[in-house]
Amino acid sequence: MSKPDYDAVVVGSGPNGLSAAITLQQAGLSVLVLEAKAEIGGGLRSAELTLPGFMHDICSAVHPLAAGSPFFQSLPLAEHGLEFIYPPLSAAHPFDDGTAASLRPSVSETARTLGIDERAYLDLLEPLVRHWPTMAADVLGPLRFPKHPFDMAQFGLDALPSAVQLVKRFKTKEARGLFAGMAAHAIQPLSNLTTSAIALVLMTAGHLRGWPVPKGGSRAIANALASYFRSIGGKIETNTPVQSMSQLPSAKVAVFDVTPKQLLGIAGDRFASGTANRLYRWQLENYRYGMGVFKVDWALDGPIPFTAPECRQAGTVHLGSTFEEIAEAERLTSQGQHPDRPYVLLAQQSLFDSTRAPEGKHTAWAYCHVPNGSTVDRTDAIERQIERYAPGFRDQILARHTMNTAQLEMYNPNYVGGDINGGIIDIRQLYTRPVVTLSPYRTSAPGIYICSSSTPPGGGVHGMCGYHAARVALREGFALPVTVSLATG
C-alpha cells in the first residue's frame, strides 16, 4: 500500500478546525488544513465592511470563552500575535430609567450593585467561580464521568433549569435583567431547559477572565492559531472548497469542521449502506438548527451616546430591558415572528481598541435573533433599540453594513439559516449533537470525524470541539496519546 499524502486532513479553518489540526500536528502527524475561502478563520474574520479604515468583525466579536478556553490557554498564542484587550466592564444591561446593571470583574463587585439580590448573586456565582478552573474541561467537553463529580453535580443543579425558573432567585429588575441578557445567548426560548447554563458559564467567565476583544479584530485569534500550527509543521491551503471526498488528498483520517448539512453533502455516500451508516445518516438528516441572526455593523462619527455610564465602559451591551421583555422577544422569534422590540446584542470594540477606526471615529457591531432562514430587514428595529438607551445614536452613523441569514450562510455555510451555534443547543441536542452516541466526534464511516460546533460543547470560540475530536482521531486512527495538557487555571 502506498504512503498517504498526509496523516490527517482537516476541512475548515474555523477555531475548531484549527484546534483539531494543532492537536493532531502536536502528536507528530503530518496535517493539512483545507479552507474554502481566501482567508482562514470561519467565524473569526475581520474586514472593512463600511468605510476605509473602519475594521469590523464579520461574525464573532467578544471572546470570554476564548480567553477562558483550557485548550487555547495551553498554546503560546501571545507569541504569535494575539493580544486581548479587557474593557473595564465585561457587559452592561441598560433600563428605560437611564440606569444599567453590569457584569463587573469580581463576583462581589457585581453583587454589591444588585441591592437586595446581593446575597442571592453571591450564593449562585461564588461556588462556580471557585470551582470553574477544575470543572472547565468537563463542562466544555462531551458527556462523560467528570473528574470532579460533586462540583459538576452542583453546576448541573443550577444549569439544568430554564432561565425562567432560575431567575426566580432574584427580585430586582437589575439582577433579573442582567441574567436575561446572559441567558439569551442560548438563542432559544428562555423557558427551555438548560438556558441557565449559558448564562452561568458566561458570567463565570466574566468574573474569572473578563470578556475581551482581540486587538486588531477577531481575525487575530485565527491568525495566531494558524501561525502556531505552521510553526510546528502544519500546512494550510486556502481557496480550496471541498464538495466530495474524492477531492481530498490521501490521508488516514479526515476531520470536518462542518455541520451535518455540509457533511452529508461531502461524505453522504459513505453513510449509504449498512444499518449503522443508514442510522447515522438519518440522524444527520434530522439534526435541528435554531434561530438565526440579523447583523449590522456601523461606522460612527463618535461613541454611542448611552445614557447609563456603565454602558460606556462595557465592551458588550445587552439591549432589551426587563427579563420579561427579553423572554417574550425570544419566545416570539422562536415561533417565527419578528418582535418590535428584539433582544439586541451589541459590541463596541473601538472604545477600547484604537486600531478599529480612524482617530476620533468608532465602530459598532450588533445583531438580533430572527427565525431561521428569515430575510426580513431588521435594521430599523435594531437601531430603535439602541436609540432607546442612547438618544442621538442615529446622528452618529456614517455608514452601515447588514447581513441577513442568507448572506451569513453564504459567507459561512456552517451558519445554516443564520444559526451561528451550529444547531440549536437545547436539552435534546446539548450532548447528543450531532447524533446520539458515546463518541459524538466519530462518524459511522471509518476514518471520518466531525469537529464543528455541531459537536459538544457547541457554539463559541473556544476550540474545544476540535480538541476533543482530534483526541478521538488520535486514539482510534493512530493509537497515539494526546500530547497537549489542558490548562486548569
Side-chain angles (χ1 to χ4, degrees):
M1 180 180 292
S2 60
K3 186 178 183 299
D5 298 319
Y6 296 92
D7 293 315
V9 174
V10 177
V11 178
S13 68
N16 287 310
L18 290 172
S19 296
I22 288 170
T23 305
L24 294 165
Q25 190 73 33
Q26 285 175 324
L29 305 181
S30 60
V31 184
L32 171 68
V33 173
L34 297 177
E35 168 56 47
K37 304 291 185 177
E39 184 180 354
I40 63 164
L44 291 173
R45 298 189 185 113
S46 309
E48 294 179 335
L49 298 177
T50 55
L51 298 173
F54 290 83
M55 183 60 63
H56 304 276
D57 292 323
I58 302 175
C59 295
S60 61
V62 181
H63 296 282
L65 296 182
S69 165
F71 180 66
F72 288 175
Q73 289 178 59
S74 73
L75 305 176
L77 298 182
E79 298 174 17
H80 291 266
L82 178 59
E83 178 183 344
F84 281 128
I85 298 172
Y86 293 84
L89 301 179
S90 290
H93 190 105
F95 299 96
D96 290 318
D97 61 4
T99 64
S102 59
L103 187 70
R104 295 169 180 263
S106 73
V107 178
S108 59
E109 284 180 272
T110 303
R112 280 195 296 270
T113 68
L114 299 178
I116 61 173
D117 283 323
E118 178 177 3
R119 185 72 259 165
Y121 191 85
L122 291 170
D123 289 344
L124 180 62
L125 269 299
E126 276 189 333
L128 287 176
V129 170
R130 183 166 61 251
H131 298 303
W132 184 256
T134 55
M135 292 194 308
D138 285 321
V139 175
L140 299 175
L143 186 63
R144 61 189 176 187
F145 191 80
K147 294 181 180 178
H148 300 271
F150 295 108
D151 295 341
M152 279 292 290
Q154 181 57 54
F155 171 73
L157 289 174
D158 293 329
L160 181 62
S162 70
V164 169
Q165 284 298 116
L166 194 66
V167 79
K168 292 178 181 179
R169 298 190 186 191
F170 301 125
K171 306 300 182 186
T172 65
K173 78 174 191 302
E174 289 81 9
R176 291 171 62 85
L178 183 65
F179 187 75
M182 301 292 170
H185 281 257
I187 317 183
Q188 56 186 294
L190 300 193
S191 56
N192 281 6
L193 290 174
T194 73
T195 43
S196 293
I198 186 64
L200 296 175
V201 169
L202 290 175
M203 295 164 92
T204 299
H207 290 317
L208 282 171
R209 293 189 174 272
W211 286 22
V213 297
K215 185 176 182 179
S218 292
R219 63 182 181 180
I221 301 176
N223 289 343
L225 289 168
S227 175
Y228 173 69
F229 174 59
R230 290 185 174 113
S231 76
I232 59 174
K235 184 179 179 182
I236 300 175
E237 292 182 4
T238 57
N239 291 308
T240 310
V242 175
Q243 297 174 328
S244 72
M245 293 293 293
S246 64
Q247 294 176 255
L248 300 182
S250 59
K252 192 165 186 180
V253 303
V255 184
F256 290 88
D257 185 7
V258 302
T259 79
K261 179 180 178 180
Q262 292 81 54
L263 185 62
L264 284 168
I266 296 169
D269 61 329
R270 303 295 178 95
F271 314 126
S273 60
T275 302
N277 279 329
R278 286 196 294 269
L279 176 60
Y280 186 81
R281 182 186 180 104
W282 179 84
Q283 290 187 83
L284 293 185
E285 290 171 342
N286 287 276
Y287 185 75
R288 295 176 299 115
Y289 295 91
M291 294 188 286
V293 303
F294 181 93
K295 177 176 175 284
V296 188
D297 289 280
W298 297 272
L300 302 175
D301 198 32
I304 299 176
F306 282 111
T307 301
E310 292 89 344
C311 295
R312 300 193 294 269
Q313 301 177 62
T316 301
V317 183
H318 295 151
L319 306 177
S321 194
T322 65
F323 181 94
E324 290 74 18
E325 181 179 316
I326 291 173
E328 178 65 3
E330 295 299 275
R331 183 187 70 82
L332 291 173
T333 304
S334 73
Q335 294 177 350
Q337 300 181 52
H338 298 83
D340 291 336
R341 288 185 163 185
Y343 163 76
V344 173
L345 197 158
L346 180 145
Q348 42 190 5
Q349 304 94 311
S350 63
L351 282 183
F352 315 100
D353 180 3
S354 61
T355 69
R356 303 296 187 100
E359 185 175 357
K361 309 300 180 184
H362 284 278
T363 62
W365 170 110
Y367 68 72
C368 74
H369 300 149
V370 296
N372 189 281
S374 168
T375 56
V376 173
D377 188 335
R378 300 293 277 156
T379 305
D380 182 64
I382 291 173
E383 291 184 353
R384 279 190 283 106
Q385 283 289 70
I386 301 172
E387 189 85 19
R388 177 180 173 187
Y389 306 103
F393 165 70
R394 280 178 161 153
D395 295 335
Q396 300 284 5
I397 298 174
L398 300 174
R400 65 172 62 84
H401 176 275
T402 66
M403 295 180 79
N404 63 29
T405 63
Q407 292 163 328
L408 280 164
E409 185 172 353
M410 185 177 298
Y411 162 78
N412 185 344
N414 277 0
Y415 297 154
V416 178
D419 179 350
I420 60 176
N421 268 340
I424 189 170
I425 310 180
D426 60 8
I427 189 66
R428 290 168 55 194
Q429 286 189 172
L430 181 62
Y431 285 109
T432 58
R433 56 195 295 120
V435 301
V436 179
T437 177
L438 292 176
S439 181
Y441 313 101
R442 179 201 306 129
T443 74
S444 62
I448 299 178
Y449 299 86
I450 180 171
C451 72
S452 70
S453 58
S454 298
T455 65
V461 178
H462 43 65
M464 296 300 291
C465 307
Y467 166 76
H468 287 296
R471 282 174 54 109
V472 175
L474 285 171
R475 183 174 64 248
E476 296 181 352
F478 303 94
L480 290 173
V482 177
T483 58
V484 62
S485 297
L486 291 182
T488 58

